[in-house]
């Protein structure tokens, strides 16, 4: 029987006015892959920060290698063999791969660094992973998937015993995800234990042995993966049954063409022709690098159009700047909402009225009472959960941040809303709310374009799916013809 390498015993963490963790107790065995799941705000990140030494628990203890600790420092956690790979990589793009792996952990004597040993160990780790990465190349030359592997190699090089993976597949293609899973299986055989955090429940059944479910700072369930199913995990996470994961359409798209492109070239996109109808949800499928985000940047005038025509409501559109797109009723919710969609240190109010401030101004003077009235209306309409309209948005959950971006564009009265990976990094309950919101938008007569790497999501939401591969639009699928394997074939370049 595998030995226990980690135990949380009654871990509680309190912040002023908030109890973020409430008596968390569970263990991790050697060579086990343990899924830690829950909605945004469930307490997963707080618990992991207690384990890595970023937070000190208010009560309870953490047991590692038969030693009990009231709290860990980051240095002590590292010495105990705990490593973490987060969604935002902790790497230096301009340095070689090998220097990133051994950053802060240089082998050698005194000031003499054993560079040959660094190269040798790096190659050994990559070979054991079954991947071909030259340790001497600059990190920025690698894809996000390979950068993630470098992060794991960095942890392995430091006598890793417990690896924490936080949403590891968010930037990965299906093929890259399989490479990652293969690496997890290999390090598991060597006795490394993994805590796997993901909102993609299907992955848990592929790679994990056991699952711990959290809700509102408490552990609400613990199951062997082979003894549970998706529906039970969703019920535990959100505290209720979610019978219709994807909402049912109550209206149908009209025949009115609200957006049309003809032979559009730009930003890597080549000869793109499609139509978007009023009240339609048009999905854009494709693998990472297919050019979907790049195409939408051209439509939103955030990248140069090289050739082709765009018609909005039947009239030619030749905008040169995102403001021109906004004026013609086109809105974009970017894939990276924190960097490109929101001002994270600003308030809910500021973010919602950011793109429509002229609506609340006269002679350069803002009517703050009118602004607040609109903000309150849209927060209520979209069920944004915030303690105050002056709350900085960095303290809201991912789902509520996404709702704020939608509210921002609704205030501008836009007709065409482009969602780029709308549910990435969002928990299952918040995903359902975003899906309901998208349906609400099309029922109001707006039109929606969705880019998603999740084929199940597109199949569940879209009225039609356009498939892109290597910058080209390779085909369309109507709802009656949806087939995941066919879509994947098309995304791989098969027309």
């Amino acid at each position: 029987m595998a030995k226990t390498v980690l135990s949380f015993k009654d871990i509680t963490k309190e912040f002023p006015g908030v109890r973020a963790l409430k008596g968390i107790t569970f263990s991790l065995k050697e060579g086990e892959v343990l899924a830690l799941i829950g909605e945004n705000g469930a307490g997963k990140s707080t618990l992991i920060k207690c384990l890595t030494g970023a937070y000190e628990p208010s009560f309870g203890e953490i047991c590692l290698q038969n030693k009990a600790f009231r709290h860990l420092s980051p240095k002590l956690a590292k010495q105990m063999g705990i490593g973490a790979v987060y969604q935002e990589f902790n790497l230096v793009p301009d340095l070689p791969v090998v220097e990133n792996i051994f950053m802060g952990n240089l082998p050698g004597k005194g000031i003499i660094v054993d560079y040959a040993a660094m190269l040798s160990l790096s190659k050994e780790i990559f070979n054991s992973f079954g991947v071909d990465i030259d340790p001497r190349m600059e990190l920025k030359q690698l894809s996000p998937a390979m950068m993630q592997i470098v992060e794991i190699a960095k942890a392995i090089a430091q006598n890793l015993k417990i690896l924490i993976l936080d949403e590891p597949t968010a930037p990965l293609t299906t093929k890259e995800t399989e490479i990652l899973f293969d690496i997890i299986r290999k390090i598991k055989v060597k006795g490394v234990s993994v805590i796997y955090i993901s909102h993609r429940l299907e992955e848990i059944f592929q790679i994990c042995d056991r699952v711990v479910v959290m809700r509102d700072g408490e552990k609400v369930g613990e199951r062997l993966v082979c003894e549970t199913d998706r529906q039970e995990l969703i019920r535990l996470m959100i505290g209720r049954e979610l019978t219709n994961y994807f909402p049912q359409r109550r209206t149908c798209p009209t025949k009115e063409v609200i957006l049309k492109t003809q032979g559009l070239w730009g930003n890597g996109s080549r000869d793109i022709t499609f139509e978007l109808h009023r009240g339609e949800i048009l999905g854009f499928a494709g693998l990472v690098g297919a050019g979907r985000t790049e195409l939408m940047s051209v439509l939103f005038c955030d990248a140069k159009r090289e050739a082709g025509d765009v018609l909005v409501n039947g009239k030619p559109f030749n905008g040169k700047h995102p403001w021109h797109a906004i004026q013609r009723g086109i809105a974009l919710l970017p894939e990276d909402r924190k960097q490109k969609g929101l001002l994270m240190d600003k308030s809910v109010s500021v973010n919602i009225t950011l793109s429509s401030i002229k609506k609340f101004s006269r002679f350069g003077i803002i009517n703050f009472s009118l602004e607040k009235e609109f903000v309150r209306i849209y927060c209520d309409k979209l069920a944004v959960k915030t303690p105050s309209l002056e709350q900085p948005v960095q303290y809201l959950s991912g789902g509520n941040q996404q709702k704020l971006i939608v509210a921002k564009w609704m205030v501008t009265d836009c007709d065409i809303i482009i969602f780029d990976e709308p549910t990435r990094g969002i928990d299952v309950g918040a995903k359902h709310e975003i899906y309901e919101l998208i349906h609400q938008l099309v029922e109001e007569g707006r039109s929606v374009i969705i880019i998603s790497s999740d084929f199940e999501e597109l199949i569940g939401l879209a009225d039609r799916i356009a498939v892109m591969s290597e910058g080209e639009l390779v085909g369309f699928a109507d709802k009656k013809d949806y087939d995941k394997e066919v879509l994947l074939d098309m995304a791989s370049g098969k027309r």
Side-chain angles (χ1 to χ4, degrees):
M1 187 174 177
K3 67 178 182 180
T4 298
V5 295
L6 164 69
S7 293
F8 292 108
K9 296 185 177 180
D10 198 29
I11 294 295
T12 300
K13 177 61 181 174
E14 295 178 342
F15 296 101
V18 178
R19 181 171 282 192
L21 296 175
K22 307 167 189 175
I24 301 294
T25 298
F26 67 88
S27 61
L28 176 68
K29 297 187 181 301
E30 185 178 59
E32 180 182 34
V33 182
L34 174 74
L36 183 62
I37 66 172
E39 294 189 274
N40 288 351
K44 305 185 300 293
S45 296
T46 303
L47 182 65
I48 293 306
K49 287 178 179 178
C50 289
L51 179 58
T52 57
Y55 286 163
E56 179 179 338
S58 304
F59 306 101
E61 62 181 23
I62 298 171
C63 294
L64 289 162
Q65 301 173 31
N66 296 320
K67 297 178 183 177
F69 300 91
R70 279 278 298 110
H71 66 90
L72 297 163
S73 66
K75 183 178 179 181
L76 180 56
K78 188 175 176 181
Q79 288 173 349
M80 298 299 290
I82 298 169
V85 177
Y86 299 103
Q87 293 181 61
E88 292 82 22
F89 299 142
N90 186 26
L91 299 168
V92 182
D94 292 322
L95 287 180
V97 169
V98 64
E99 293 184 29
N100 273 281
I101 290 174
F102 289 94
M103 193 183 303
N105 186 36
L106 298 173
K109 294 182 179 180
I111 61 171
I112 307 300
V113 176
D114 192 342
Y115 203 81
M118 290 166 59
L119 282 173
S120 177
L121 185 53
S122 299
K123 290 177 182 176
E124 185 181 320
I125 293 171
F126 291 139
N127 286 338
S128 72
F129 288 173
V131 295
D132 183 19
I133 297 176
D134 184 350
R136 294 164 296 189
M137 70 191 302
E138 287 187 346
L139 183 88
K140 62 187 177 186
Q141 295 176 259
L142 299 179
S143 69
M146 294 300 107
M147 288 184 187
Q148 190 170 66
I149 290 171
V150 171
E151 280 273 30
I152 296 173
K154 181 179 175 182
I156 292 287
Q158 298 174 5
N159 193 29
L160 184 73
K161 292 183 174 62
I162 298 171
L163 174 63
I164 302 160
L165 294 173
D166 186 4
E167 295 291 345
T169 62
L172 306 186
T173 65
T174 303
K175 185 176 180 181
E176 290 167 339
T177 297
E178 278 305 317
I179 293 172
L180 174 66
F181 286 175
D182 191 45
I183 290 171
I184 292 172
R185 293 181 188 106
K186 286 175 179 176
I187 64 174
K188 174 182 172 179
V189 170
K190 294 180 179 179
V192 175
S193 305
V194 177
I195 296 177
Y196 191 91
I197 302 170
S198 179
H199 291 309
R200 296 180 175 179
L201 297 184
E202 66 276 7
E203 295 176 355
I204 289 164
F205 295 95
Q206 289 178 263
I207 197 65
C208 299
D209 303 303
R210 193 159 49 98
V211 55
V212 168
V213 187
M214 294 183 65
R215 186 174 73 240
D216 298 330
E218 298 182 76
K219 187 185 86 171
V220 294
E222 184 174 340
R223 302 284 190 277
L224 289 172
V225 169
C226 61
E227 295 177 358
T228 188
D229 57 30
R230 180 189 179 92
Q231 202 60 38
E232 183 184 28
L233 295 181
I234 291 173
R235 180 179 55 77
L236 287 168
M237 286 171 63
I238 67 177
R240 65 185 190 280
E241 293 286 349
L242 195 57
T243 52
N244 293 316
Y245 188 62
F246 294 104
Q248 297 296 311
R249 283 299 299 262
R250 292 181 287 271
T251 59
C252 295
T254 70
K255 293 183 179 180
E256 179 189 354
V257 177
I258 192 170
L259 172 71
K260 181 177 180 178
T261 71
Q262 185 72 44
L264 188 64
W265 290 69
N267 200 24
S269 302
R270 302 191 297 277
D271 197 21
I272 305 294
T273 297
F274 72 90
E275 294 180 348
L276 174 69
H277 299 91
R278 183 170 294 281
E280 182 181 27
I281 302 174
L282 176 61
F284 269 77
L287 305 179
V288 172
R292 298 163 300 163
T293 296
E294 291 77 6
L295 170 63
M296 298 309 154
S297 294
V298 175
L299 288 177
F300 192 60
C301 305
D302 200 26
K304 184 180 178 181
R305 186 199 310 176
E306 297 167 7
D309 299 311
V310 178
L311 299 176
V312 178
N313 290 315
K315 297 178 180 178
F317 173 57
N318 296 300
K320 306 295 183 186
H321 189 277
W323 277 114
H324 299 148
I326 294 168
Q327 288 165 1
R328 289 297 293 271
I330 302 173
L332 173 66
L333 284 81
E335 178 180 7
D336 188 343
R337 60 178 174 268
K338 293 184 179 180
Q339 295 295 324
K340 298 181 179 179
L342 296 166
L343 299 176
M344 299 300 291
D345 59 340
K346 301 300 182 184
S347 69
V348 168
S349 290
V350 167
N351 274 278
I352 287 180
T353 59
L354 192 63
S355 299
S356 54
I357 197 66
K358 289 182 180 179
K359 198 179 231 183
F360 312 103
S361 305
R362 193 174 183 187
F363 306 119
I365 299 173
I366 299 173
N367 184 334
F368 289 107
S369 61
L370 181 62
E371 180 192 29
K372 286 286 188 295
E373 181 182 340
F374 265 78
V375 169
R376 195 170 288 108
I377 287 170
Y378 280 96
C379 280
D380 290 344
K381 188 173 184 177
L382 303 185
V384 176
K385 296 173 185 173
T386 175
S388 160
L389 299 182
E390 301 309 313
Q391 175 84 339
V393 300
Q394 62 188 324
Y395 299 116
L396 301 185
S397 71
N400 283 301
Q401 289 173 358
Q402 195 74 301
K403 289 180 185 179
L404 285 186
I405 306 176
V406 176
K408 175 178 75 172
W409 293 125
M410 288 179 74
V411 176
T412 68
D413 300 321
C414 57
D415 277 333
I416 301 163
I417 305 180
I418 303 167
F419 287 83
D420 193 349
E421 301 289 357
T423 60
R424 175 166 289 175
I426 293 177
D427 62 71
V428 65
K431 280 184 181 181
H432 186 70
E433 290 183 348
I434 295 297
Y435 299 155
E436 291 278 11
L437 179 54
I438 289 170
H439 275 250
Q440 179 184 328
L441 292 171
V442 294
E443 284 164 12
E444 292 175 357
R446 304 174 199 258
S447 303
V448 170
I449 293 175
I450 296 179
I451 298 172
S452 179
S453 299
D454 185 343
F455 283 79
E456 302 277 0
E457 183 169 79
L458 291 177
I459 289 170
L461 282 177
D463 300 304
R464 283 187 303 144
I465 297 175
V467 185
M468 290 188 67
S469 176
E470 298 182 352
E472 296 184 346
L473 187 54
V474 296
F476 291 88
D478 292 321
K479 205 170 189 70
K480 60 181 173 44
D481 301 321
Y482 285 169
D483 183 295
K484 186 175 179 180
E485 289 187 15
V486 172
L487 291 172
L488 281 167
D489 275 347
M490 291 169 68
S492 301
K494 298 178 182 178
R495 295 176 181 270

